[in-house]
Amino acid sequence: MGHAEFKLADERTVRVVSMDEYWMPFTPNRDFREEPKIVVRGEGMFVWNERGERLIDASSGLFCVNAGHCRREIADAVSAQLRELDFIAPFTRGHPKQFELATRVAALTPGDLNRIFFVSSGSEAVDTAMKVALAYWQAKGQGGRTMFVSRERAYHGVNFGGTSLAGIVNNRRRFGATLPGIVHMRHTHLAENRCVPGEGAHGAELADDLQRLVNLHGAENIAACFVEPIAGSTGCLVPPRGYLARLRELCDQHGILLVFDEVITGFGRTGAAFGAQSFGVTPDLMTMAKGLTNGAQPMGAVAVSERVHEAIVGAAAEGAIEFFHGYTYSGHPAACAAGLATLDIYRDEGLFERGRELSPHFLDGLFSLRDIPVVADLRGYGMMGAVEVHPDGVPGRRGHQFQKRLFDNGLHLKATGDAAIVAPPLVAEPAHVDMIVDILRRVLKSL
């Protein structure tokens, strides 16, 4: 393939950086090396490439930098923590900020989701939630409940549990059968809801797929149903009106745990702390990550209902470990410091409320693109949306070119297949939204 490199220049020197050794995730590496997209600095709504050119960040990094890039408050908190305590084993040892952050997160979660288990990523959060569900049914004397229900076009991370739950074929096809005992409901992306902002009027009955799976496999064998309130990485699939409430009803009817994967929708993206509150449906477990630390430190968490937590803890012998699970970096001191500083910013700057107030302008701007011929669909809710373009004969090829041209025209976002996902930081102003929409319009017209 030859040797690939790029040059970084500062005020004093020019460094040549090899691109041969680093294997990039979810990236066509050969394509990237031919035409690298390098980011070297960030501030607020913007990032800068290695040539000093400014780009507006239209997807909050990867749906995580909700408070804008390079917040000094978070950097100072992490720096101070690393000077005070850099690490302590999370098994049978603790530090104050773990407990402080868990209390602060529990204050934001709906219902009785007040028991918080820290991990290092959304993928780890999903696998942890699967284990919590299995442990719960073991504790309840129903160890036969080992199956999981998920959806087509779902994304739940890339550990083996999340990959097995996932319904995106390219994330599964090269890894064999993955875990057994996982079945999938149909996705909710319907032609009848095309180019409709918010919740579509059609498709709530798709939740009855859960009843069909109960009829086929028996509720006594199903541990939990996993769904994203808004399916994010697959291209912002907003649920039909009444869909999530119907899933809650069926889970209650059959004793199945309902798990919301809020790794993307959490921390203000939907206009409330979590999508559960925006849609008025409370799950039994909830995963989160990304916005928990504003992307400044790797961290995720699982919020567990008190009922589920107490059943697991209560079933263990006195003095015994109740849940044989955890990670070296669970509740890492620096990550906890970043989380606390991030939650301070969300509260002090009213960012969840700001996002909710900006959402109508954001969605109006996004849906103003419907007149462009290459646009196949527009979807959106809160401060999250997608622009899907007609394929050019090879699925995903036009979408890949779309995001590369956007970068070259001063806009960063995440693309999945032929859909570009737009989710700007919650610190955005109307003028920032207008800038994003203007660049989208200009590039869409050039495709």
Side-chain angles (χ1 to χ4, degrees):
M1 295 194 316
H3 178 70
E5 61 188 25
F6 63 91
K7 293 183 178 180
L8 282 179
D10 58 28
E11 294 179 356
R12 298 179 302 278
T13 61
V14 175
R15 289 186 292 128
V16 175
V17 180
S18 170
M19 292 191 291
D20 292 344
E21 290 74 25
Y22 176 46
W23 191 351
M24 299 177 69
F26 276 116
T27 301
N29 280 251
R30 291 166 295 181
D31 176 80
F32 183 90
R33 287 167 182 158
E34 291 178 2
E35 194 178 352
K37 309 295 185 187
I38 303 293
V39 172
V40 298
R41 184 168 73 87
E43 182 180 347
M45 286 290 299
F46 299 93
V47 296
W48 281 259
N49 66 19
E50 79 282 13
R51 296 185 298 276
E53 298 163 340
R54 190 181 74 166
L55 302 92
I56 191 164
D57 186 350
S59 62
S60 303
L62 198 60
F63 319 115
C64 46
V65 188
N66 295 346
H69 286 277
C70 294
R71 294 299 300 248
R72 182 171 294 277
E73 305 96 314
I74 302 173
D76 288 347
V78 171
S79 176
Q81 180 59 56
L82 289 174
R83 288 192 298 271
E84 179 180 274
L85 175 66
D86 57 347
F87 180 81
I88 184 66
F91 312 144
T92 71
R93 303 291 182 267
H95 63 87
K97 287 186 174 63
Q98 293 170 327
F99 300 94
E100 293 175 33
L101 182 59
T103 300
R104 294 282 301 277
V105 170
L108 295 174
T109 54
D112 71 338
L113 295 171
N114 295 325
R115 301 294 179 260
I116 312 300
F117 193 101
F118 288 122
V119 297
S120 297
S121 69
S123 293
E124 289 183 359
V126 168
D127 277 32
T128 299
M130 295 175 75
K131 285 188 173 181
V132 169
L134 294 173
Y136 172 74
W137 290 117
Q138 286 279 348
K140 296 289 285 184
Q142 299 182 50
R145 287 184 180 261
T146 59
M147 294 185 66
F148 294 97
V149 177
S150 183
R151 287 190 296 193
E152 298 171 352
R153 294 195 66 169
Y155 180 80
H156 295 293
V158 292
N159 288 351
F160 261 98
T163 298
S164 305
L165 290 172
I168 300 175
V169 64
N170 282 341
N171 289 2
R172 298 167 55 90
R173 69 190 334 151
R174 295 182 185 274
F175 306 111
T178 63
L179 299 183
I182 296 176
V183 291
H184 293 79
M185 303 179 291
R186 288 171 291 177
H187 63 73
T188 62
H189 186 211
L190 300 179
E192 295 91 332
N193 295 330
R194 178 181 170 274
C195 290
V196 173
E199 299 170 89
H202 304 277
E205 69 281 358
L206 290 167
D208 288 331
D209 276 8
L210 180 56
Q211 181 64 56
R212 293 174 57 230
L213 294 171
V214 166
N215 294 344
L216 179 62
H217 297 285
E220 69 276 12
N221 294 310
I222 300 175
C225 175
F226 277 72
V227 295
E228 303 157 271
I230 299 173
S233 290
T234 193
C236 189
L237 305 186
V238 182
R241 194 172 300 113
Y243 175 86
L244 295 175
R246 177 60 175 155
L247 283 182
R248 176 74 274 180
E249 178 184 344
L250 289 169
C251 285
D252 288 341
Q253 180 181 335
H254 297 291
I256 298 167
L257 295 177
L258 180 61
V259 186
F260 277 1
D261 185 342
E262 298 242 22
V263 169
I264 289 178
T265 52
F267 299 101
R269 185 57 51 193
T270 64
F274 295 97
Q277 290 136 328
S278 294
F279 294 112
V281 178
T282 301
D284 302 296
L285 293 89
M286 186 163 63
T287 64
M288 64 191 78
K290 294 186 184 290
L292 176 57
T293 64
N294 201 49
Q297 290 281 292
M299 193 177 209
V302 182
V304 181
S305 77
E306 294 178 20
R307 169 179 61 91
V308 171
H309 173 268
E310 294 308 317
I312 296 170
V313 171
E318 189 67 30
I321 294 171
E322 300 95 353
F323 186 47
F324 279 81
H325 177 71
Y327 301 95
T328 298
Y329 298 113
S330 291
H332 188 279
C336 288
L340 288 166
T342 297
L343 295 189
D344 284 346
I345 293 171
Y346 291 157
R347 178 197 62 204
D348 296 345
E349 298 184 8
L351 291 190
F352 300 168
E353 296 79 8
R354 280 180 60 177
R356 184 165 62 246
E357 292 167 2
L358 185 59
S359 175
H361 183 75
F362 168 70
L363 293 176
D364 285 348
L366 201 65
F367 280 80
S368 73
L369 303 170
R370 61 166 57 91
D371 62 315
I372 302 174
V374 76
V375 172
D377 193 14
L378 295 159
R379 304 179 287 274
Y381 186 100
M383 286 296 289
M384 180 178 175
V387 181
E388 186 165 344
V389 296
H390 290 290
D392 66 357
V394 177
R397 184 168 62 187
R398 176 172 274 164
H400 183 60
Q401 291 302 317
F402 182 26
Q403 61 86 16
K404 291 207 303 184
R405 288 196 196 180
L406 286 170
F407 190 95
D408 292 340
N409 281 269
L411 188 150
H412 160 77
L413 52 65
K414 160 81 166 105
T416 297
D418 287 305
I421 309 173
V422 189
L426 304 181
V427 294
E429 301 287 347
H432 295 129
V433 171
D434 296 342
M435 181 185 303
I436 291 168
V437 173
D438 287 346
I439 298 173
L440 283 167
R441 178 175 291 278
R442 184 168 69 249
V443 174
L444 283 164
K445 286 184 174 180
S446 74
L447 291 178

